């Protein structure tokens, strides 16, 4: 068993970094935590600081102002950490990629392990994405 | 100068239209001053719109804010229809109104849940968000999407709600009504919520006028300002409804206004569905050939207040200038009045009461000592303080 898969055997704690996003992805992430989808039954929960996290969830397009901050958050993370680019904006920049303040898709700034596309992805897609990530 | 502690909150607020950095200057427990900085969520949307065609702009303005993803297209459509002098068929007006009001219910439920969480009522958070799912189900049935509905176009709407679906939608709506009444009762009858929110974060009528606040923030101070009423658009003049106001001026009044507005929205949707069934199925838009040069203003009442769009056209197929003003931008300025003199544990709910969605405090707020720069507490601590206060009040009662 490699170190990576050993670390991610049990409850994954997620830190959510909201870039310059339109909120929809963030709301769907919170929706996952509430009663209908209840992602906490799999031991996943949002944590307050990156230092406690196993997963860094990045949603929203990254503008020039938050590019450096995303890198800073990633450098503070305990390794190994799984990085998930969330939503169309997280994956590619989406509709805002042509903007004059666009700072580049997430994968040009930090290494990304999984992409969950959609605008916004449905909560079911989030669950499916996490399952695929763990079986990788 | 006395010793002040600075509590920076932000800059990243994931549930908010505009991420801001708040700095609370505190003396002990009491907030003495507040500063804020905007611009963290700048995406250059107005500039992007100049390179899009008029029809494509709808999809961009929809993504200004995920919660108001009907209000912005609504205001933009109003602006474009003013430029092009386009008439909208009645059925499209009703569909627009239904989608707009559904959005209001889901936004207010979302707010109620978060406010409950900040006060230490996680049951309210879970319940409000559970009932919000029922609204999203209606959205999924009528528009095909949970969040970005893509229903609007110049001169009408993109998709019809067929008459055979109307009874289903009504059934789903009827199921929500008792849940809203339950939440209303739960908030109105709870002595602890009264103690936590009454006489907290007072904004007088004069303050509202001075700062130009809009939406439920203004209506909770007794000012009946509502674009739906003052500058009627879509189907609002065709149905019976009233502007909800309250004279409380405090956080409780804002909660009350939002809760009663949800019930009013249900009644508006009900009437729209009834009247819509008498219009011709399928006539949902008037085709638009070209947009002449000129300019137009569009306004719409978002869940948080007035959304304003200005579009200037030059006869080509894309806007020459597009200006957007969102309601939170003016409402946030009122913090200068409502926060000062209050305790830190109350500041959380006061900032949340304007509905700039305050969930950032869960992860990005830290209290530093003003002089040593040493970290004292983080966002989770702030929520803990707020929840602690509720617990103590409960014990006393």
């Amino acid at each position: 068993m490699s170190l990576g898969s050993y670390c991610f055997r049990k409850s994954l704690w997620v830190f959510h970094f909201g870039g310059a996003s339109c909120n929809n992805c963030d709301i769907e992430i919170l929706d996952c935590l509430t009663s209908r989808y209840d992602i906490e039954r799999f031991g996943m929960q949002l944590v307050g600081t990156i230092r406690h996290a196993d997963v860094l969830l990045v949603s929203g397009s990254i503008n020039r102002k938050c590019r450096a901050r995303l890198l800073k958050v990633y450098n503070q993370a305990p390794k190994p950490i799984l990085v998930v680019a969330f939503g169309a904006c997280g994956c590619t920049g989406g509709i805002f990629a042509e903007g004059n303040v666009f700072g580049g898709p997430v994968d040009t700034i930090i290494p990304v392990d999984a992409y969950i596309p959609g605008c916004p992805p449905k909560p079911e897609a989030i669950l499916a994405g996490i399952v695929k990530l763990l079986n990788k | 100068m006395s010793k002040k502690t600075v509590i920076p909150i932000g800059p990243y607020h994931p549930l908010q239209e505009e991420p801001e950095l708040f700095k609370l200057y505190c003396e002990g427990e009491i907030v003495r001053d507040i500063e804020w900085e905007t611009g963290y969520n700048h995406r250059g949307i107005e500039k992007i719109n100049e390179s899009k065609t008029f029809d494509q702009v709808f999809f961009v303005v929809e993504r200004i804010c995920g919660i108001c993803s009907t209000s912005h297209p609504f205001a933009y459509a109003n602006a474009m229809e003013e430029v092009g002098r386009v008439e909208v068929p009645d059925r499209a007006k009703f569909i627009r109104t239904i989608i707009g009001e559904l959005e209001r219910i889901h936004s207010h439920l979302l707010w109620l849940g978060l406010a409950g969480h900040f006060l230490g009522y996680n049951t309210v958070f879970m319940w409000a968000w559970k009932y919000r799912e029922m609204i999203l189900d209606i959205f999924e049935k009528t528009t095909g999407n949970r969040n970005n509905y893509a229903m609007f176009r110049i001169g009408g709407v993109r998709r019809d709600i067929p008459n055979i679906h109307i009874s289903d939608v009504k059934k789903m709506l009827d199921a929500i009504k008792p849940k809203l009444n339950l939440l209303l009762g739960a908030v109105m009858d709870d002595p602890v919520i009264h103690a936590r929110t009454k006489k907290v974060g007072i904004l007088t009528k004069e303050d509202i006028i001075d700062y130009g606040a809009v939406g439920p923030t203004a209506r909770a101070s007794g000012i009946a300002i509502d674009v739906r009423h003052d500058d009627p658009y879509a189907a609002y003049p065709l149905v019976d409804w009233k502007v909800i106001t309250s004279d409380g001026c405090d956080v409780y009044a804002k909660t009350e206004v939002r809760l009663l507005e949800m019930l009013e929205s249900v009644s508006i949707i009900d009437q729209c569905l009834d009247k819509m069934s008498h219009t011709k199925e399928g006539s949902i838009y008037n085709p638009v050939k070209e947009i002449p040069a000129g300019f137009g203003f569009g306004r719409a009442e978002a869940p948080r207040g007035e959304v304003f769009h200005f579009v200037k056209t030059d006869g080509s197929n894309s806007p020459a200038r597009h200006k957007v003003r969102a309601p939170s931008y003016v409402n946030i300025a009122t913090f200068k009045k409502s926060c000062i003199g209050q305790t830190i544990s109350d500041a959380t709910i006061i900032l949340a009461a304007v509905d700039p969605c305050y969930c950032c405090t869960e992860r990005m707020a830290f209290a530093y000592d003003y002089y040593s720069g040493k970290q004292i507490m983080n966002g989770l601590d702030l929520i803990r303080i707020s929840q602690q206060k509720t617990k103590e009040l409960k014990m006393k009662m």
Side-chain angles (χ1 to χ4, degrees), chain A residues 22 46 89 129 132-133 135:
Chain A
C22 76
L46 288 183
C89 297
K132 273 186 191 159
L133 184 65
N135 292 336

Side-chain angles (χ1 to χ4, degrees), chain B residues 232-275:
Chain B
Y233 57 96
Y236 291 109
L238 307 176
V239 292
D240 284 333
W241 64 282
K242 57 180 192 297
V243 178
I244 307 277
T245 55
S246 168
D247 290 323
C249 305
D250 48 15
V251 175
Y252 180 79
K254 295 187 179 77
T255 317
E256 193 187 1
V257 164
R258 289 203 173 92
L259 280 163
L260 292 174
E261 254 178 29
M262 284 195 275
L263 290 170
E264 202 65 33
S265 294
V266 172
S267 127
I268 295 177
I269 298 168
D270 243 350
Q271 295 176 48
C272 282
L273 286 168
D274 281 338
K275 296 199 170 164

Side-chain angles (χ1 to χ4, degrees), chain B residues 119-148:
Chain B
L119 288 177
Y121 282 83
N122 270 328
T123 319
V124 174
F125 175 49
M126 288 295 168
W127 283 24
W129 281 61
K130 186 165 102 187
Y131 301 141
R132 185 178 158 266
E133 288 289 329
M134 296 160 81
I135 303 283
L136 296 186
D137 284 345
I138 301 182
F139 272 131
E140 213 164 354
K141 187 168 183 69
T142 52
T143 72
N145 297 316
R146 278 164 61 88
N147 294 78
N148 290 330

Side-chain angles (χ1 to χ4, degrees), chain B residues 61 64 72 75-76 79 296-298 307-311 322-324:
Chain B
V61 292
I64 290 176
H72 285 286
Y76 172 71
F297 304 96
V307 168
F308 173 86
H309 278 233
F310 166 79
V311 187
H322 187 193
K323 161 79 189 141
V324 180

